[in-house]
Amino acid sequence: MALSPDEIGVGSSSELTITIDNSANEDPIGNIGFTLPVPQGIRISGPLSECGGVLAMEGDGSLLRFSGGSVSASGSCEVRAIVTALAAGPH
């Protein structure tokens, strides 16, 4: 998981990238899923998946949920979203 840029101020945004890496596996993997709660003072928007599946924001942008994704044999894919700081502080 990476943020670019990795530090932002209140009202600013960063791109969150979650890479699902299957490069060491000669078989594809499927049924990939995760739930990512977002800390208080942060909101997510604009989710995008290169991994197929269903990607949704819940709780007014305070939760990112991904299900049913897949990655090809020896491949990788990314799930992305925009993260916006609504309040100051470490998150």
Side-chain angles (χ1 to χ4, degrees), residues 2-8 12-16 81-85:
L3 289 169
S4 180
D6 60 355
E7 292 185 24
I8 57 174
S12 297
S13 297
S14 179
E15 183 177 62
L16 169 68
I82 301 301
V83 176
T84 302

Side-chain angles (χ1 to χ4, degrees), residues 30-85:
N31 202 29
I32 299 167
F34 61 82
T35 300
L36 180 65
V38 179
Q40 188 172 5
I42 298 290
R43 287 294 174 258
I44 54 174
S45 62
L48 172 69
S49 170
E50 297 175 351
C51 307
V54 176
L55 182 61
M57 295 179 312
E58 297 178 10
D60 194 28
S62 61
L63 185 73
L64 182 65
R65 189 178 307 272
F66 178 63
S67 62
S70 61
V71 181
S72 62
S74 303
S76 65
C77 62
E78 295 180 343
V79 174
R80 297 180 182 176
I82 301 301
V83 176
T84 302

